[in-house]
Amino acid sequence: MNEAFELREPRLDDVERLAHVHVQAWRETYAAQLPDEFFGDRALEFRRALWRRMIDEPAPGSHTVVAELSGEIVGFASAGMPIAPEKPDPADRELFMIYLLEAHHGCGAAQAMLDVVIGAEPAFLWVAADNPRAQAFYERNGFRADGLEKPDDRVPTFLERRMVRTQR
């Protein structure tokens, strides 16, 4: 699949579209693992507030990018200084999120977004333990599981696995 996507910084007028893409990407990725409340109206309102805050008051050192195709947002990625660093910190950069709508998997946008927000720098991320596609993508980019896993506070059966890249 070779689609002509464009990467750019998010804008305030993107908040509604970003919230919808965020919830849709979660539905496509986690529907079998999380309860419906993660994809409903409350989830959408939470994502609107998150995106307003991220755009209005970006965290120091953070970098966020959206992928757009034919004027439609189809994905996004964000990275920055660790939010809740583990001691010792595995790296000075954390990939907070990267999502691409399923219809656009394989078009190269996820790779381009990852390259923009963290480059080749050492970094770490948390990925759903039951998401082999994402884990394979991260492994191709030099990340390795370091053995640390944690359950989600709201859904203890939903495990996240930490992956770390020390160099590329």
Side-chain angles (χ1 to χ4, degrees):
M1 184 183 312
N2 191 3
E3 302 177 71
F5 58 86
E6 178 183 333
L7 300 183
R8 64 171 177 78
E9 300 289 320
R11 302 180 301 254
L12 270 177
D13 65 343
D14 293 327
V15 165
E16 188 66 26
R17 293 184 300 159
L18 282 164
H20 279 277
V21 169
H22 204 152
V23 170
Q24 180 62 32
W26 268 57
R27 183 179 292 113
E28 292 172 354
T29 306
Y30 306 121
Q33 301 174 51
L34 295 172
D36 288 343
E37 67 193 57
F38 281 80
F39 319 114
D41 291 341
R42 286 186 62 202
L44 187 58
E45 186 50 44
F46 175 80
R47 298 299 177 197
R48 284 183 191 112
L50 172 72
W51 281 103
R52 269 188 224 100
R53 191 173 52 254
M54 285 177 58
I55 294 168
D56 266 345
E57 304 166 22
S62 68
H63 191 185
T64 302
V65 66
V66 300
E68 199 172 56
L69 178 66
S70 301
E72 293 297 319
I73 294 174
V74 297
F76 53 84
S78 184
M81 296 174 4
I83 294 175
E86 304 292 329
K87 299 295 180 200
D89 294 340
D92 292 333
R93 297 268 312 146
E94 180 177 357
L95 178 66
F96 304 134
M97 58 183 158
I98 184 168
Y99 288 100
L100 185 66
L101 293 177
E102 192 173 62
H104 304 285
H105 286 181
C107 75
Q111 184 65 56
M113 290 188 296
L114 183 70
D115 292 345
V116 167
V117 298
I118 64 168
E121 298 299 314
F124 72 99
L125 57 91
W126 291 92
V127 61
D130 190 17
N131 190 342
R133 180 184 177 95
Q135 290 174 42
F137 171 76
Y138 298 131
E139 287 172 355
R140 284 192 305 274
N141 281 279
F143 288 87
R144 299 292 176 259
D146 71 351
L148 191 59
E149 290 188 348
K150 66 179 180 180
D152 184 277
D153 294 336
R154 298 163 294 170
V155 183
T157 57
F158 186 77
L159 290 178
E160 294 178 279
R161 178 173 295 148
R162 188 169 72 180
M163 297 183 78
V164 178
R165 180 174 72 193
T166 55
Q167 59 186 353
R168 191 167 182 196

